[in-house]
Amino acid sequence: MKEILAGHGSGGRLMNDMIEGTIRNILGPRSIQLDDSAVIESVTGKIAFTTDSYTVTPLFFPGGDIGSLAVNGTVNDLAVMGAEPKYLSCSLIIEEGFTFTELERVLLSMKKAADHAGVSIVTGDTKVVPKGGADRIFINTSGIGIFRGPLLRGEIKPGDRIISSGTLGDHGITVMSMRNGLEFSSDVRSDCAPLNRMIKAVAEKYPHAVKFMRDATRGGAASVLNEIVKDRNFSALVYEEKVPVKDEVAGICSLLGLDPLYVANEGKVILICDESYAEGIVSAMRTFEEGSSAEIIGTVEDKNPGKVYLETFIGGRRILPLLTEEQLPRIC
Amino acid sequence: MKEILAGHGSGGRLMNDMIEGTIRNILGPRSIQLDDSAVIESVTGKIAFTTDSYTVTPLFFPGGDIGSLAVNGTVNDLAVMGAEPKYLSCSLIIEEGFTFTELERVLLSMKKAADHAGVSIVTGDTKVVPKGGADRIFINTSGIGIFRGPLLRGEIKPGDRIISSGTLGDHGITVMSMRNGLEFSSDVRSDCAPLNRMIKAVAEKYPHAVKFMRDATRGGAASVLNEIVKDRNFSALVYEEKVPVKDEVAGICSLLGLDPLYVANEGKVILICDESYAEGIVSAMRTFEEGSSAEIIGTVEDKNPGKVYLETFIGGRRILPLLTEEQLPRIC
């Protein structure tokens, strides 16, 4: 199996061969140019700019891999701000000894995800570090999105509804199951998906409705909600019975002692809107595969501002605090 | 010494504390926001987009460190395309056990370099990987630049002059000296510097003169020249006696068996222009500290197209090929 060598990261012929023969060949001729920068068509208006490095282990898992994750994660970071994701960069840090077969698999997955999301990978970089210098491959994607108009409107107030675009915990539990040798269930798979089309459809149908939106990655939905209420004059109440969680995910969570509200997702948003729009937004989300399990999961309250509460199945209330650290490292 | 823990990379309180207390505190309030993307002011016109991951070892060296390198490298990638560097992202992959003292030193260096170059770090990301999972710290910076007008004009033709904005090999030899315990000479230091102001001044004074410009990083000046002539109907001739190399750098090169024309620089451009502009451009460069040792180092020829030649001190000619791999790994 042909392996990546230190020389593939240097400024010579080996690097050029890898860029021409593998990277550019797969990602497309515009991608990973040898020029220092990509020149992008004229833009008019505000742009959004985001970056994420992906260090997930294992690299490949049901429902995705580090390549699709790197594209979809950055696409979603732009989409939740109300920007239309357009251009991505792709910077690889590869450990010596990583095989070309694995690299090609990752790049093909990136290309497929980029095509699916409707974004172009326009510039890139490749570094090779010695064995033990990185964990096989790390990918950074940065992204540029164009604002067509403001997405987020209005102040969050008591009575507003909290929506999850679907089942929670799928990504984190998939990765964790693999690490623990629990990948027996074919139904547990990452929700890794681009959300830009669904978000755009919601925004077009309800242009003044969305007050807050965030993809619930590291730290899960409970961490996103804690971010929203922090230092604000309202609290968030989540109804346990309304939180969509797949049976298999719930089962593994209970086996591993994890709470799905804190488990990472890679294709779910938490959205807040006025009560009057909530049912409509959920219906609009459900017309998309990635929103097919959308639910209203909670309400904004004025009691105990700054806190997130869970109303449990049996009617009790407990605080969902901001955890000191996430339960699952290296999840994205 | 306070160390980075796995939890600092998760979606909880530890991560928020590090972002608020260390990263945002140093890089400035706009930087590394918890929001998923930065919203950038309106832009009108074409934009340039670039990315680079920095994996240099050692992290700190005379004349710079991984932080200043990460800012200046990306600034220069934008500047050589003729774009005005404006916005940078900063994505950190940190190994567990890296100290806050080191992190702060790196971030302060990034902040200083960004201020010096006139760019804003507007968005970021932080991942923590286990010990052995990365080599202490890797930094990705991506950058956005705005085009004020085309910089590069006209076709390269025989008779055109090749300019180096200054002494070659300083960065690579500095890093290599440290690795080999040769850091005895106080005069060997990285040339790590932002080139955007010098490039802008040249472009304003000679708006139609520059036919090609590239920063000579991995692979050095000889690799840049090989890229230019590849598959083209001209060759490049470099005069050894005109190539500016510091005495100390030449000495270490000869000690280690390295050719300064292939050694990485982090603050030098190779530029091609019509003969009539060459002296003027060199004079303009020399008014800047970063261009103080600028020289015309060669000529474009029509003989043996696709090749780069060196005319040696004694008048002989030898080919400067595209090396299979660079002599110095992990140089940036």
Side-chain angles (χ1 to χ4, degrees):
Chain A
M1 202 103 79
K2 199 176 157 200
E3 291 187 355
I4 310 277
L5 310 172
H8 284 110
S10 71
R13 193 184 301 273
L14 275 178
M15 185 170 85
N16 288 6
D17 289 351
M18 179 172 73
I19 290 171
E20 293 287 345
T22 303
I23 299 177
R24 199 183 328 221
N25 192 33
I26 292 175
L27 293 183
R30 288 190 62 195
S31 306
I32 323 298
Q33 46 197 37
L34 289 169
D35 282 343
D36 291 281
S37 309
V39 178
I40 295 174
E41 307 312 309
S42 289
V43 297
T44 306
K46 285 190 177 181
I47 61 177
F49 183 27
T50 191
T51 189
D52 251 318
S53 288
Y54 297 86
T55 63
V56 66
T57 180
L59 299 178
F60 305 97
F61 45 81
D65 56 54
I66 193 171
S68 57
L69 200 63
V71 170
N72 290 330
T74 294
V75 162
N76 292 344
D77 279 348
L78 294 168
V80 295
M81 295 292 288
E84 187 180 325
K86 292 284 283 179
Y87 306 104
L88 257 55
S89 62
C90 165
S91 182
L92 309 172
I93 299 176
I94 308 173
E95 193 178 82
E96 251 189 295
F98 193 63
T99 66
F100 272 84
T101 308
E102 292 169 303
L103 177 62
E104 284 162 10
R105 187 172 164 196
V106 168
L107 293 170
L108 282 167
S109 172
M110 291 189 80
K111 170 68 174 160
K112 193 175 159 194
D115 288 349
H116 184 214
V119 297
S120 302
I121 299 173
V122 294
T123 187
D125 176 52
T126 307
K127 293 289 181 334
V128 178
V129 295
K131 267 189 211 257
D135 194 357
R136 303 180 72 209
I137 188 169
F138 297 145
I139 302 178
N140 176 280
T141 52
S142 299
I144 295 177
I146 313 288
F147 280 96
R148 301 303 180 194
L151 171 70
L152 305 180
R153 310 274 189 124
E155 289 288 307
I156 296 172
K157 61 170 186 9
D160 285 351
R161 293 295 187 256
I162 301 166
I163 293 170
S164 168
S165 67
T167 54
L168 295 177
D170 297 350
H171 174 72
I173 289 304
T174 303
V175 172
M176 210 59 192
S177 297
M178 287 200 73
R179 287 197 214 147
N180 287 275
L182 296 175
E183 66 273 36
F184 41 78
S185 167
S186 63
D187 291 330
V188 177
R189 50 191 286 120
S190 171
D191 58 342
C192 183
L195 301 174
N196 48 329
R197 285 201 184 80
M198 182 183 74
I199 289 169
K200 192 178 178 191
V202 166
E204 282 176 0
K205 194 158 183 191
Y206 300 97
H208 306 292
V210 179
K211 296 182 171 184
F212 173 90
M213 189 158 41
R214 183 74 42 85
D215 49 337
T217 56
R218 279 186 284 184
S223 300
V224 167
L225 290 172
N226 268 286
E227 257 184 58
I228 306 172
V229 301
K230 189 186 174 197
D231 301 330
R232 305 291 291 276
N233 61 351
F234 52 78
S235 58
L237 176 65
V238 176
Y239 305 107
E240 190 168 28
E241 63 174 2
K242 299 287 189 189
V243 176
V245 181
K246 285 184 181 155
D247 289 344
E248 298 80 4
V249 170
I252 297 176
C253 275
S254 113
L255 196 66
L256 297 177
L258 299 169
D259 181 341
L261 281 163
Y262 287 95
V263 174
N265 311 278
E266 287 293 340
K268 297 292 156 41
V269 290
I270 300 298
L271 181 152
I272 294 181
C273 66
D274 189 88
E275 183 188 0
S276 60
Y277 295 113
E279 292 289 353
I281 287 176
V282 165
S283 298
M285 283 178 163
R286 286 185 181 165
T287 64
F288 289 80
E289 191 190 334
E290 53 271 31
S292 59
S293 55
E295 290 286 354
I296 301 170
I297 63 165
T299 307
V300 175
E301 294 198 323
D302 53 7
K303 281 177 283 192
N304 303 305
K307 302 284 184 197
V308 181
Y309 287 92
L310 183 73
E311 189 172 285
T312 62
F313 283 116
I314 54 167
R317 282 196 179 195
R318 64 178 176 86
I319 285 188
L320 295 174
L322 183 61
L323 295 187
T324 303
E325 51 186 304
E326 215 221 328
Q327 313 164 80
L328 312 172
R330 304 281 302 278
I331 216 70
C332 60
Chain B
M1 203 102 80
K2 199 177 156 198
E3 291 188 354
I4 309 276
L5 310 171
H8 285 110
S10 70
R13 193 184 303 272
L14 274 177
M15 185 170 86
N16 288 6
D17 289 350
M18 179 171 72
I19 291 170
E20 293 286 346
T22 304
I23 300 176
R24 197 181 331 217
N25 192 31
I26 293 175
L27 293 182
R30 288 189 63 194
S31 306
I32 322 298
Q33 47 197 39
L34 290 170
D35 283 343
D36 291 281
S37 310
V39 177
I40 294 173
E41 307 313 307
S42 289
V43 297
T44 305
K46 285 190 177 181
I47 61 177
F49 183 27
T50 192
T51 189
D52 251 319
S53 287
Y54 297 85
T55 63
V56 67
T57 181
L59 299 178
F60 305 97
F61 45 81
D65 55 56
I66 192 170
S68 57
L69 201 63
V71 169
N72 289 331
T74 294
V75 162
N76 292 344
D77 280 348
L78 293 167
V80 295
M81 295 291 288
E84 186 181 324
K86 292 283 283 179
Y87 306 103
L88 258 54
S89 63
C90 164
S91 181
L92 310 171
I93 299 177
I94 308 173
E95 192 178 83
E96 251 188 295
F98 193 63
T99 65
F100 272 84
T101 308
E102 292 169 303
L103 177 62
E104 284 162 10
R105 187 173 164 195
V106 168
L107 293 170
L108 282 166
S109 172
M110 291 188 80
K111 171 67 174 161
K112 192 175 159 193
D115 287 349
H116 184 214
V119 297
S120 303
I121 299 173
V122 294
T123 186
D125 177 52
T126 308
K127 293 288 182 333
V128 178
V129 296
K131 267 192 211 258
D135 193 358
R136 304 180 71 208
I137 189 168
F138 297 145
I139 302 179
N140 176 280
T141 52
S142 299
I144 295 177
I146 313 288
F147 280 97
R148 302 301 181 195
L151 170 71
L152 305 179
R153 311 275 188 122
E155 289 288 307
I156 295 171
K157 60 171 189 6
D160 285 351
R161 293 296 188 255
I162 301 166
I163 293 170
S164 169
S165 67
T167 55
L168 294 178
D170 298 349
H171 175 72
I173 289 304
T174 302
V175 172
M176 210 58 192
S177 296
M178 286 199 73
R179 287 196 215 149
N180 287 275
L182 297 175
E183 66 272 37
F184 41 78
S185 168
S186 62
D187 290 330
V188 177
R189 51 192 286 120
S190 170
D191 58 343
C192 183
L195 301 174
N196 49 329
R197 286 203 182 78
M198 181 183 74
I199 290 170
K200 191 178 177 192
V202 167
E204 282 176 0
K205 194 158 183 191
Y206 300 98
H208 306 290
V210 179
K211 296 182 171 184
F212 172 91
M213 187 159 42
R214 184 73 40 88
D215 48 338
T217 57
R218 279 185 284 183
S223 299
V224 167
L225 290 171
N226 268 286
E227 256 184 61
I228 305 173
V229 301
K230 188 185 174 198
D231 302 328
R232 305 291 291 275
N233 61 351
F234 52 78
S235 58
L237 175 65
V238 176
Y239 306 107
E240 190 168 26
E241 62 173 2
K242 299 286 189 190
V243 176
V245 180
K246 286 183 181 156
D247 288 344
E248 299 81 3
V249 170
I252 297 176
C253 275
S254 123
L255 194 68
L256 298 176
L258 299 169
D259 181 342
L261 281 164
Y262 287 95
V263 174
N265 311 278
E266 288 294 339
K268 296 292 155 43
V269 290
I270 300 299
L271 180 152
I272 295 181
C273 65
D274 189 87
E275 183 188 359
S276 59
Y277 296 113
E279 293 288 354
I281 288 177
V282 165
S283 298
M285 284 178 164
R286 286 184 181 167
T287 64
F288 289 80
E289 190 190 335
E290 54 270 32
S292 59
S293 55
E295 289 285 354
I296 300 170
I297 64 165
T299 307
V300 175
E301 294 199 324
D302 53 5
K303 281 177 283 193
N304 304 304
K307 304 284 185 199
V308 181
Y309 288 92
L310 183 73
E311 188 171 287
T312 63
F313 284 116
I314 55 168
R317 282 196 181 195
R318 64 177 176 87
I319 285 188
L320 296 174
L322 183 61
L323 295 187
T324 303
E325 51 186 304
E326 214 220 330
Q327 312 164 81
L328 312 173
R330 304 283 300 280
I331 216 71
C332 61

